[in-house]
Amino acid sequence: MIAEDVLCPFCGCLCDDIKVEVEEGKIVGVKRACRLGSSKILGHERTTAPMIRVDGELLETTYEEAYDQAAQILKEAKRPLLYGWCSTVCETAKLGILLAEEVGGVVDSTATVCHGPSIIGIEEKGMAGATLGQIKNRADLIVFWGANPAEAHPRHTVRYSSNARGMFTPDGRGGRKVIVVDVRETRTAKNADKFILIKPGTDYEVLSALRMIVQGKGEIVPETVAGVAKSDLEEAAAMMLAAKFGVVLIGLGLTHSRGRYKNVDNALSLVADLNGFTKFVVMAMRGHYNVAGFGQVCAWSTGFPMAVDLSRGAPYFNPGETAACDLLAKREADAMMVVAADPASNFPRATVGGMVEIPVIQIDPFPNPTTLLADVVIPTAVCGIEAEGTAYRMDGLSLRMKKVVDSPYPTDEEAVREILDRVRRLSDDN
Amino acid sequence: MIIEGGIVYDPRNGILGEEMEISIEDGRVVEESRDGDKIDARGMLVMPGGLDAHAHIAGAKVNTGRIMRPEDGRRGTEARTKLLRPQTGYTVPNCYAIGYRYARLGYTTAFEAATPILEARNTHEELEEIPIVDKGALTLFGNNWEVLECVRDGDLGKLAAFVAWGLRASRGYGVKVVNPGGGEAWGFGGNVKGIDDPVPNFDVTPRQIIRGLMRANEALGLPHSVHLHTNNLGKPGNYETTLETLRAVEDIAASRDRQVLHVTHMQFSAYGGTGWRDFESKAPEIADYFNRHQQFTMDMGQLIFGSATTMTADAPLEYGNARLLKAKWSNHDIELEESSGVVPLVYGRKMPINAIQWAIGLELALLTEDPWQMIMTTDHPNGGPFVNYPEVVALLMSRPKREEELKTLHELASKRSSLPSIEREMGWNDIAIVTRAGPAKILGLEEKGHLGMGADGDVSIYDIDPEKVDPSKDHEKVKAALSRAKYTIKGGEVVVRNGELVAVPQGRTYWVEASVPEDEAAKVRADLVDKFAKYYSIQISNYMVQDAYVTSPRIVRAGVI
Amino acid sequence: MREIRIEPRRKFLVPVEAEGISPDVLAPLTLEEIGRIEVWEGNRRSVLSDLFALSGDDVPGEAADARILLSGDFSRVKRIGEKMTSGMIEAGGDVGMHAGNGMAGGEIEIAGRAGDWLGREMRGGKINVSGDAGDYVGAGYRGESCGMRGGEIRIEGSAGDYLGEHLCGGKITVLGDAGDFPGIANRGGVIVIGGNAHLPGAEMASGAITVFGRARVLPSYQYQETVEIDGQSLKKFLGDLVDGGKGELYVASMEA
């Protein structure tokens, strides 16, 4: 059997044209997906049974025991952190936020270590965005800033951006210009019409200089800006102004270098400025396939897209104080639940230290470095392959992920619901 | 359940303030109720549940408003309770706050005013999370490539089939048209300047789009008419575009007993002047036209002073607003379909433009003689958040209140509008029409907006005695009573008692399933297969909103076969 | 002057939110009543006397005549002095985040270090910190267009990043260094930095920022002239021109 138009549960491109070949309930082939997507869809090592840490060692146990233990940990905690949600469906996130309300916890997503700064930038300036198809059909200039889709989002260029063909872009890459701004010459940069090499941590200054030139105030800008020749920036600005439809695609190179959300803020301002002359949009190249979806669910449920502290019953949002990294780095959290994420790999070392000293619950189909720190491990089905549900693409478009094969494991949604039910029973008992 | 002793206003059934009993059973109004539940409404005002026919309460642009405005989110924050989820926000409340606050006002139905088909899943995900009220969403068609091409080719049959398909794909209730053609032009940063300004690359004009969609709408016999946000909205002098638009469709007849066109948030389309300096009200001209043309309806789009979040599919308007006000600006273009924008702003009493805008909304409502042509709205949260509806009702009912307010405003509100000279004060029957019976009739919701046999058991009861309180003098009492319903009854269940929520049921979602001839449907399918293969960024099989996203549907049938 | 002494009963691991520690709230109460003021330790609601030992004068009075003395480790106690309008708070050591949130009057004296968001959205009054301060001194809440609108903050040590973000009035003085983006989006406030700073005055619309040490200056600033301030020679710039700003930036030495 071939399952058609399957959504890929890997990156924020959320490609929805994948063909998955299934034989006797097993996936035997994948077509159209990139190598990253294929490897996830074909599957790799799984956690096969729930586990609880006893005397420093993870021992297999029953789901009932694991859920009970998880509920107990969350219920007892004064500042539990419920983190992750990027590689699971929105239906899980909804329950996760409800669970955070029930236990008076802080709920946050992996945005804290990827595009969280982009979101804070949007809070300052708003964002002029578009769906990916708008870029495919109209964009004649693509700017990748600190983004390297050739490595991180392999099909982005072909499906949506530099090489895509559409209504007003019949020649694909041939009819487009590509500018890359980065701190090293990436594979994406090698394919650019114009590459601007900048020093790490100087994005803000370079953006300000570009904005000055775009606004016609270039004579004030010094001859070099953070090592970049003004003439290079003038050339880039001219390309931007000459475009009929331009787009700036923002990567982690911008959000995680010195200046962080202010870099994004300035990039958003550049795009707003450019709209005074031509059409320009901007988009964050979101990493995990549904990190955007958690932000959406969290916003409509709590009013805020991430880093929501529910300890006093009313949502309180203040990244820098209430984000997962903040709680762990300051050693505030006294318990942590990790759903569909791997903070032990992705967080700064000082932050991971905050996980070592507290009970950690992991809900995930796969073992990963976080498993090594976990006290309760609950294996689940893989969303988009073994469980259906909603995910939001990097442009905010929501799609329904499919179930292609059966799984012996509960879904993330079921696992969170089991814990939620137990927490509620514990509350009623008190 | 029996509601006893209240003074009932049910204009649709000709009940104008009579003391009478209302019986509800199994969620509907009945002759006689068998159960023993009684609600003592003596000395209180009883009306059908309120119905908001135009608000932005769900979907991508609403959530964008939340995400870009944490400073709004922190306003109106309330902790969770055993019954209620937490609440946040003033102009862009979270989903739970939307449901709770409508219920506390005595409102039991609310329609999201603009959803693109491609992002309708998002809209329904949020509608599902809004508790208590019944809901629906109007679907955007005015800049959709398939629409533009059908109109260009003059293929009305295919256009109607596409409208039916689009409503089904989006689980939408009606045809919303926003700045027709302008959204497409915005794809390359342009706009259209009037109804005969051609849409770039498509060889059609806004006039043709509006006429085509209205004719398709009537061919399908949809419960609601086309719901139009005019071209040039928000710009000085735009009343001429508005009147020109209306004159352009005078020959089109409604297929049902309702208006043939609803022009929404008219306040933003009734402007005179050649620029902001000589900006003035043209509400009297608009109202005069409506008084002579009963086939059209409108809603106010009343402005409320203070914080607002403007959000509209009129993206070029929002860019202009943001640049003018140096405000935050979000934009979102939707491939092949629409564009949209979100800009937060503050309306100031001493700002001449804002003060005149405030007056225009009220002028429109008061100068339009037939209240059945008028819906009270604030175009939430564009003119201001819906929680201010009691303020608007008080203004409509009390000339002294209007005079008091005018004294606090920039003087141009009095000089550039006719408001000071308007004597009319709406009575409770008028209010019941502009907040209940009228919007239900305009939307084509048979079982809403009245308390006749078989109507939904949606009732609001306010602690104000219409026989004793003079709304003109005691407008403060009117506002206070309407701000916290004594009881709100939704589908026969008490959801609010003494202004507090006591139950949180899940409402239903209305959508329209319109049948079309198979040959027309096949033509549309062929077009769409081509469009998805070449232009959309997703597969056609993943496009339509799945049933999982509308868990309590109320499907209204229409169509040509 | 009435003295109210507050001391933590134990070391807090989970942060405590105690916005009630303010002269306006405590001054009209007896010590016993003060003990019943709500505080939160994470998600646990409790009362002040559960977490803190209280002593001092027991006679209720006016906020203006109250002096609250905090002894011990308050580094994890947040929102001290929130919205206070008069009176005095003296912390013998460190204080946690959000001290002086929305403060309108009175004085806060911190002998140790202050956490992030010191004097957030402050409108009036004075804060003095003998040690360092964290990020976002005198800033606004996320998404707001105004932070501090009035009053004075003085930091004898160094300050973190985003000092005075969205400042709309008032004055902030830092004797040591400031971090990244001091005075970003300044709309009329005054910032004086004794040491070094990185990219001061980004998006500044109006107001003044003086850096007596070294700073990296944005390419959207235009050099005006050299001026003498407090006997030191500084370069004067106008900006941030990228946003049409008319702010004044004075820098002693420029980082290449």
Side-chain angles (χ1 to χ4, degrees), chain A residues 218-363:
Chain A
E219 78 281 359
I220 295 163
V221 174
E223 284 310 306
T224 60
V225 176
V228 180
K230 182 176 170 181
S231 56
D232 270 346
L233 297 176
E234 284 170 337
E235 193 188 326
M239 288 168 76
M240 291 176 180
L241 290 168
K244 288 197 180 72
F245 185 115
V247 56
V248 179
L249 295 158
I250 291 173
L252 297 186
L254 188 67
T255 61
H256 277 67
S257 55
R258 189 174 187 179
R260 296 181 56 101
Y261 74 94
K262 292 299 177 189
N263 296 338
V264 178
D265 176 324
N266 217 6
L268 298 175
S269 294
L270 169 65
V271 169
D273 290 347
L274 284 163
N275 274 281
F277 304 95
T278 183
K279 173 80 180 188
F280 246 85
V281 298
V282 54
M283 191 183 301
M285 299 280 277
R286 306 303 295 267
H288 294 287
Y289 73 87
N290 197 29
V291 63
F294 176 82
Q296 295 289 330
V297 176
C298 198
W300 76 59
S301 306
T302 70
F304 309 102
M306 58 186 183
V308 177
D309 181 349
L310 290 150
S311 56
R312 292 175 68 168
Y316 171 67
F317 164 82
N318 193 29
E321 179 181 11
T322 60
C325 284
D326 305 323
L327 261 69
L328 291 172
K330 296 189 175 79
R331 303 290 191 271
E332 287 187 8
D334 58 353
M336 184 173 183
M337 181 164 105
V338 181
V339 181
D342 184 16
S345 304
N346 301 326
F347 277 15
R349 182 181 292 216
T351 310
V352 175
M355 294 173 62
V356 173
E357 298 149 21
I358 60 174
V360 174
I361 303 153
Q362 182 188 37
I363 298 179

Side-chain angles (χ1 to χ4, degrees), chain A residues 5 16 101 123 125 127 129 131 133 136-138 272 276 279 296 300-302 313 390 392-393 398 400, chain B residues 63 80 85 88 94-95 121 125 184 186 319 328-331 333 335 535-537 539 541-542 549:
Chain A
D5 297 346
D16 74 328
E101 282 177 27
E123 290 166 2
K125 292 286 157 39
M127 181 171 84
T131 64
K136 154 181 155 153
N137 284 304
R138 297 185 198 258
K279 173 80 180 188
Q296 295 289 330
W300 76 59
S301 306
T302 70
T390 317
Y392 281 71
R393 207 166 65 174
S398 76
R400 186 156 189 85
Chain B
N63 228 21
R80 75 192 299 263
R85 304 285 299 267
T88 53
N94 64 339
C95 288
R121 221 176 330 270
E125 277 201 281
E184 167 51 35
W186 180 245
Y319 181 69
K328 299 187 208 181
W329 171 56
S330 282
N331 173 84
D333 291 355
E335 61 203 63
Y535 307 133
Y536 272 104
S537 65
Q539 303 296 105
S541 70
N542 288 318
Y549 297 97

Side-chain angles (χ1 to χ4, degrees), chain B residues 28-297:
Chain B
R28 304 240 167 203
V29 178
V30 294
E31 285 285 355
E32 229 175 307
S33 170
R34 289 180 304 266
D35 70 40
D37 294 355
K38 286 192 176 159
I39 288 178
D40 181 0
R42 272 175 297 177
M44 294 184 202
L45 169 67
V46 177
M47 296 195 285
L51 198 163
D52 197 342
H54 186 107
H56 299 274
I57 52 173
K61 66 191 177 328
V62 180
N63 228 21
T64 295
R66 295 183 187 111
I67 291 168
M68 71 192 275
R69 297 206 67 189
E71 77 282 9
D72 187 82
R74 72 168 168 165
R75 296 179 66 185
T77 294
E78 285 184 46
R80 75 192 299 263
T81 68
K82 271 204 174 312
L83 179 69
L84 306 179
R85 304 285 299 267
Q87 298 178 55
T88 53
Y90 171 62
T91 69
V92 277
N94 64 339
C95 288
Y96 313 116
I98 290 173
Y100 303 156
R101 291 175 192 173
Y102 268 125
R104 286 176 62 157
L105 294 181
Y107 271 63
T108 51
T109 308
F111 271 55
E112 159 56 40
T115 194
I117 307 172
L118 183 60
E119 295 188 339
R121 221 176 330 270
N122 185 167
T123 306
H124 285 288
E125 277 201 281
E126 293 186 38
L127 288 177
E128 288 280 307
E129 290 294 304
I130 297 176
I132 304 174
V133 293
D134 286 339
K135 303 145 291 198
L138 303 180
T139 304
L140 290 158
F141 284 99
N143 292 288
N144 190 299
W145 287 4
E146 182 70 12
V147 170
L148 302 187
E149 288 167 10
C150 288
V151 170
R152 181 194 60 201
D153 301 341
D155 193 340
L156 185 64
K158 192 164 86 176
L159 178 60
F162 177 70
V163 167
W165 189 85
L167 289 176
R168 179 171 174 73
S170 61
R171 298 296 193 269
Y173 183 82
V175 177
K176 176 76 181 296
V177 180
V178 175
N179 185 22
E184 167 51 35
W186 180 245
F188 284 115
N191 198 357
V192 290
K193 294 184 176 63
I195 65 169
D196 294 313
D197 194 7
V199 182
N201 303 310
F202 283 89
D203 193 26
V204 289
T205 62
R207 177 195 299 268
Q208 292 167 326
I209 299 167
I210 296 165
R211 287 185 58 86
L213 283 168
M214 283 178 68
R215 290 170 65 201
N217 194 96
E218 298 316 308
L220 291 169
L222 299 179
H224 184 40
S225 68
V226 164
H227 193 109
L228 177 70
H229 163 132
T230 60
N231 296 111
N232 281 334
L233 183 137
K235 298 193 179 80
N238 65 11
Y239 84 108
E240 290 185 38
T241 306
T242 306
L243 291 176
E244 206 182 346
T245 305
L246 292 165
R247 285 195 288 264
V249 298
E250 280 176 6
D251 61 314
I252 300 175
S255 60
R256 296 166 70 127
D257 176 24
R258 56 149 167 73
Q259 76 290 352
V260 71
L261 179 68
H262 180 79
V263 184
T264 192
H265 37 69
M266 184 64 92
Q267 180 271 120
F268 293 108
S269 298
Y271 299 159
T274 57
W276 294 113
R277 284 182 171 279
D278 59 351
F279 179 79
E280 62 176 346
S281 167
K282 287 290 180 184
E285 283 78 354
I286 298 283
D288 180 56
Y289 181 89
F290 271 70
N291 290 337
R292 289 181 289 110
H293 296 85
Q294 295 284 310
Q295 71 268 45
F296 300 121
T297 57

Side-chain angles (χ1 to χ4, degrees), chain A residues 68-238:
Chain A
D68 283 343
Q69 184 80 16
Q72 199 70 41
I73 289 169
L74 292 173
K75 189 69 201 164
E76 282 170 11
K78 286 180 180 166
R79 199 155 173 76
L81 170 62
L82 291 80
Y83 170 81
W85 320 104
C86 58
S87 294
T88 186
V89 290
C90 292
E91 288 74 5
T92 313
K94 285 179 201 175
L95 287 173
I97 290 162
L98 186 53
L99 179 60
E101 282 177 27
E102 290 284 350
V103 300
V106 175
V107 62
D108 195 15
S109 79
T110 55
T112 189
V113 285
C114 58
H115 277 285
S118 298
I119 294 168
I120 305 173
I122 291 166
E123 290 166 2
E124 297 275 328
K125 292 286 157 39
M127 181 171 84
T131 64
L132 288 163
Q134 187 80 339
I135 295 162
K136 154 181 155 153
N137 284 304
R138 297 185 198 258
D140 58 352
L141 177 70
I142 315 263
V143 182
F144 291 108
W145 198 300
N148 183 15
E151 306 286 350
H153 300 87
R155 294 184 77 208
H156 192 282
T157 50
V158 177
R159 271 173 70 78
Y160 309 125
S161 57
S162 49
N163 296 50
R165 288 169 200 272
M167 174 74 113
F168 303 106
T169 52
D171 301 328
R173 180 68 180 86
R176 287 195 176 93
K177 299 285 185 205
V178 174
I179 300 175
V180 172
V181 184
D182 215 321
V183 295
R184 61 191 174 87
E185 192 175 3
T186 60
R187 266 178 61 200
T188 305
K190 288 188 169 74
N191 180 38
D193 297 285
K194 173 86 190 156
F195 171 52
I196 298 176
L197 180 72
I198 62 167
K199 287 182 192 160
T202 62
D203 302 71
Y204 193 96
E205 295 155 75
V206 174
L207 282 162
S208 287
L210 261 176
R211 289 182 63 200
M212 290 290 282
I213 295 165
V214 164
Q215 293 173 18
K217 301 170 186 165
E219 78 281 359
I220 295 163
V221 174
E223 284 310 306
T224 60
V225 176
V228 180
K230 182 176 170 181
S231 56
D232 270 346
L233 297 176
E234 284 170 337
E235 193 188 326

